[in-house]
Each structure stands twice: as structure tokens, then as C-alpha cells.
Amino acid sequence: MLNRFVADYLETLAQADFRPVPKVAGRLLSCDGLLMEATGLTVPVGTVCEVGGVVEAEVIGFRGDRTILMNLGGPAPLLPRAPVRPIGAPGEAEVGDALLGRVVDGAGRPIDGLGPIRGAERWPLAGKLQGPLDRGRVLSPLDVGVRAINGLLTIGQGQRIGIMAGSGVGKSVLLGMMVRAARADVVVVGLIGERSREVADFLDTKVAGDARARSVVVAVPANHSPVLRIRGALRTHAIAEAFRAQGKTVLLIMDSLTRVAHAGREIGLALGEPASARGYPPSAIAMLPNLIERAGQDAHGPGSITAIYTVLADGDDGNDPVVDSARSILDGHIVLSRALAERGVYPAIDLGPSVSRVMTDIAQRPHLQAARVLRRHLATYEANRDLVLMGAYRAGADPAIDAAIAYHPAITDYVRQDHDEIVGLDTAIAELTGVFGDG
């Protein structure tokens, strides 16, 4: 036994590329809530460190010879000059078929009680650099099972679209309808910055049954560190990118993009960035395009990522910086109306300001014509709604208003759909053209 140990030891020393690797450790200088400063470390941004042997923190920047870290865990009994040791290189996520049916947190740890994830592959958290010509055109529709979206806001494979609304208008219910019915090989769901109760509810009701077996869920509730929330968003996209590289049709759903921007705002302000639009530092808004541009159609293969992001309009403000930025980057947006929700119309899709920018590329002419007719009648009715409800309009005074009044019940019935009902793409188009195809 001793001879074998000596032989192995000498063989190791004889290797030409053998280099001893010293353990690097710094010292904690300050701890202010989630923000920490350490000295004696030379590690890249994104490195995960262990502080005092009790808590993990991620390097988010530098100030002179001081390294700035942000706590990834909860409160810990830290002392001045506590050791800070790097324990993880920045930037890799576990991906692949081993994650199907699993739920992980922002750090990639399984939280579903099903044991460790074995056989996973690795993918860069920040994604692999791609140019504009690596993205293909959106040419095929994606069936999401919602009549109003399939018929009037048709989504294409590889499209990026936002669901914009205030709180409590039905965003999560609409997402659940899409998850259950979407014709996609894999569904990757990122629940970022939401309430813990909503995470459990989403898992039990929205991705239950057959949908669970083809889904991967990344859950980072609102009480987690802002760094973990951003890591959760990056991990969600990395998992989707790996499946797209396999040639699969991926539906990526993230709830919500606004909470990711809020996490970026917390980190930016902690680093001393000046607050600009509505308190958001420039880095928080600049982060959104880098995230959204990772989705899309692969120009070199059959794989695609169709991304649906929820965007919370704080105070129902459509000019919120996150809403405005997302609207300019995405390939379309679905606006949910509180007024429609109060009238009991669910999903409460406001068709006027909603648009799918790729619908003209993926829909046939009769379909497009019927959608335009419905939109025209709806716009005419809404413009004269007060007159009609007050009884100030006299029938026969304007043929366009008369037609809008006659068609309005059919429009409301077309938009309204029960949360457990699935209406396929072909059915939605047939119903639309059957009623509005002659207008």
C-alpha cells in the first residue's frame, strides 16, 4: 500500500504541467445589509465566494483595491475581518434533459425534493455570443390555446412578446393557459421576484400533469437576494438556449421582467450609480435588451425560443420605463385592461393597443382581413361608447357605428374564454373568419 502511494505521488510530481494552486482568501472589511466589501481578493466579477464560512456572496464590482460583494443568502453572524474565499467560477448553468420536470432556484439547486440533478450538461449563464444573422425569420405560427391571441395576435415560433398589465389583472392565469396548451417540445418557466405562494400555486395548477414532464421551472421568490433574482433570469435563458441548440421548439415564459429590472436597480444603486428614469439607474434598463435578445429563431437549425415576458405596469402606467423599454425591444405586446377585468371579461386583453409585429408574416390573407374587420368594429364602438351607453346615439345615423354596435356582442364572446378551456389555432381562425370574414 505504501509503495503504491509513493509511486502515485512521484508520478504526480513528475508531470510536466503540474503547478501547485494556492488557496486565495481575503478579509471582510464592511457589511451593510446585503452589500459587503472585502480586501485581498483578485477574482473576476460574478465569482461566488464564501464569507466567514457561513454565507455565500457574489462579486458584483470593485472600488479601488476593495472587492464589492452582494449576499446571496440571509442574515449571518459575520464578524469584521472574516475570511472571504472564492468557491465557484462565474458563469455556468446546468442544462439538458436531466432538468425536465424539475424545479431549481437561482443558484441551480433543486428545490422540489426529488434529489440531486444527475447527468446535466453545462452552458454559459450569459449565453453564447451570436450575431444578428444567427437569428432566423419568424415564419411559423405557434398554437398557445387562447382564442384571442391565436386569432388576433398570432404568435410565431421564435417571437418575443410581452404581457403588460397592472397587478391583479390576470397575467398569471393567462400564462397558465398558454403553458397547458402550447405546442412546444419544452416549456421553460422563470418565476422571478414573485410571491412564494404564487410559485407553489403555479406549480400545482399551471404546470401540473403532462405539462410538468416537459417543463423546467426556475423559481426565485421576491425575498431572495437581487443577485439571485438576476441569476435566475440568466439561468432560465441558458436552459432554453441549450434546448434550442438541440433543435427543439422551446416556449420560454418569465414572470416577470419588471422584477428583474427591480433587482438590477437594487444592485446599481448599491454600487453608487445615479438614479435616472423613475429611480432606475442606466444599467438596470440596459440589462433588458441583453436578456431579451437571447430568445428567437435559430438561423442554422430548426430550434427556436418563443419568449413570453410579463411586464408589470406600476400603477397601470403604460409609460413606466420598464414597460416603455420592453415595448421597443419586443416583437409585440399584449395589454391587459383593468376595465375589461372589472366587467368580467377574461382574459382581459385590450385589443386596441395590443399588437403582434410578426402576424403579417405568418397568417394568411383571409385571416388578416377578418382580424382587421374585428379591430375596426371594436375601435368604432370604443370611440362612441359613451354616446351609445348614454342613449345619445340615434340608430341609422352612421352605418359604421350601427355595424359596430351589432358586432360588439360577437367581439366580446370571441375574446372571452374560461381559464380551463383550450381553443386551438385552426378553430380560432375558423371562428374569426366565419363571423368577420365578410366585413
Side-chain angles (χ1 to χ4, degrees):
M1 177 69 71
L2 180 60
N3 291 335
R4 188 172 63 184
F5 168 76
V6 172
D8 292 343
Y9 178 69
L10 293 176
E11 183 181 354
T12 302
L13 293 179
Q15 293 178 3
D17 58 348
F18 173 74
R19 296 288 186 277
V21 180
K23 288 188 176 181
V24 180
R27 292 291 176 179
L28 184 66
L29 293 182
S30 69
C31 179
D32 183 11
L34 295 175
L35 198 65
M36 305 177 185
E37 289 189 3
T39 186
L41 282 177
T42 306
V43 292
V45 172
T47 302
V48 178
C49 298
E50 184 184 67
V51 183
V54 292
V55 69
E56 292 183 359
E58 180 178 328
V59 177
I60 61 173
F62 302 96
R63 222 178 255 136
D65 61 348
R66 296 189 176 190
T67 301
I68 305 171
L69 305 97
M70 185 158 281
N71 193 340
L72 294 179
L78 297 175
L79 295 173
R81 307 292 298 176
V84 181
R85 295 186 176 90
I87 59 174
E92 280 195 332
E94 292 184 327
V95 299
D97 294 341
L99 274 76
L100 291 175
R102 303 302 302 270
V103 184
V104 299
D105 64 6
R109 294 182 291 258
I111 57 175
D112 50 11
L114 300 179
I117 297 173
R118 304 187 187 279
E121 302 170 4
R122 312 295 293 184
W123 192 273
L125 265 180
K128 297 182 178 179
L129 185 62
Q130 291 185 312
L133 297 183
D134 294 322
R135 288 285 175 267
R137 294 184 61 200
V138 179
L139 300 174
S140 302
L142 179 69
D143 188 353
V144 295
V146 181
R147 183 192 294 110
I149 296 177
N150 280 340
L152 302 170
L153 301 164
T154 311
I155 295 176
Q157 292 182 16
Q159 183 177 0
R160 294 84 51 87
I161 197 162
I163 299 177
M164 302 177 176
S167 57
V169 188
K171 296 188 300 297
S172 297
V173 175
L174 182 57
L175 287 181
M177 296 170 68
M178 295 183 183
V179 169
R180 286 193 300 270
R183 300 293 181 87
D185 300 325
V186 179
V187 179
V188 182
V189 182
L191 302 176
I192 312 298
E194 296 300 316
R195 295 180 290 272
S196 297
R197 181 196 62 79
E198 284 196 350
V199 173
D201 179 73
F202 198 95
L203 293 174
D204 292 340
T205 61
K206 311 303 191 299
V207 292
D210 295 339
R212 184 69 175 268
R214 60 188 176 98
S215 301
V216 182
V217 179
V218 181
V220 191
N223 61 334
H224 285 211
S225 162
V227 175
L228 275 181
R229 279 177 261 156
I230 291 181
R231 274 186 170 253
L234 295 174
R235 189 173 300 276
T236 301
H237 285 75
I239 294 171
E241 285 175 327
F243 282 117
R244 177 179 62 189
Q246 297 178 10
K248 294 184 178 180
T249 300
V250 183
L251 176 64
L252 184 152
I253 291 178
M254 199 168 77
D255 187 14
S256 72
L257 193 66
T258 305
R259 305 301 186 193
V260 178
H262 287 177
R265 178 172 61 184
E266 293 180 44
I267 295 174
L269 294 177
L271 287 172
E273 284 190 59
S276 52
R278 305 282 182 89
Y280 288 96
S283 63
I285 302 300
M287 176 178 57
L288 302 182
N290 295 331
L291 204 60
I292 294 172
E293 284 296 326
R294 295 174 64 175
Q297 178 75 40
D298 187 356
H300 309 296
S304 66
I305 299 176
T306 305
I308 300 175
Y309 303 92
T310 64
V311 185
L312 180 63
D314 291 331
D316 291 339
D317 183 7
N319 296 317
D320 180 85
V322 178
V323 176
D324 197 43
S325 177
R327 188 189 296 118
S328 65
I329 303 165
L330 294 168
D331 301 322
H333 49 273
I334 300 170
V335 179
L336 301 187
S337 166
R338 193 174 298 276
L340 286 174
E342 291 172 351
R343 294 202 294 267
V345 179
Y346 287 99
I349 299 174
D350 190 352
L351 295 174
S354 301
V355 64
S356 172
R357 295 179 182 173
V358 304
M359 184 173 175
T360 54
D361 297 328
I362 59 178
Q364 302 296 322
R365 183 176 294 275
H367 178 192
L368 293 172
Q369 181 63 28
R372 292 192 185 104
V373 170
L374 186 149
R375 284 177 173 274
R376 185 175 70 243
H377 289 320
L378 179 61
T380 303
Y381 182 87
E382 292 298 333
N384 299 275
R385 181 183 182 84
D386 293 340
L387 291 176
V388 174
L389 295 181
M390 291 170 54
Y393 173 74
R394 181 172 54 85
D398 188 330
I401 299 179
D402 291 338
I405 295 173
Y407 275 110
H408 191 68
I411 295 174
T412 303
D413 289 341
Y414 189 82
V415 174
R416 184 184 282 119
Q417 182 176 337
D418 292 335
H419 68 90
D420 56 351
E421 181 184 3
I422 296 176
V423 179
L425 180 64
D426 294 338
T427 302
I429 294 173
E431 292 179 4
L432 179 66
T433 54
V435 177
F436 300 95
D438 299 330

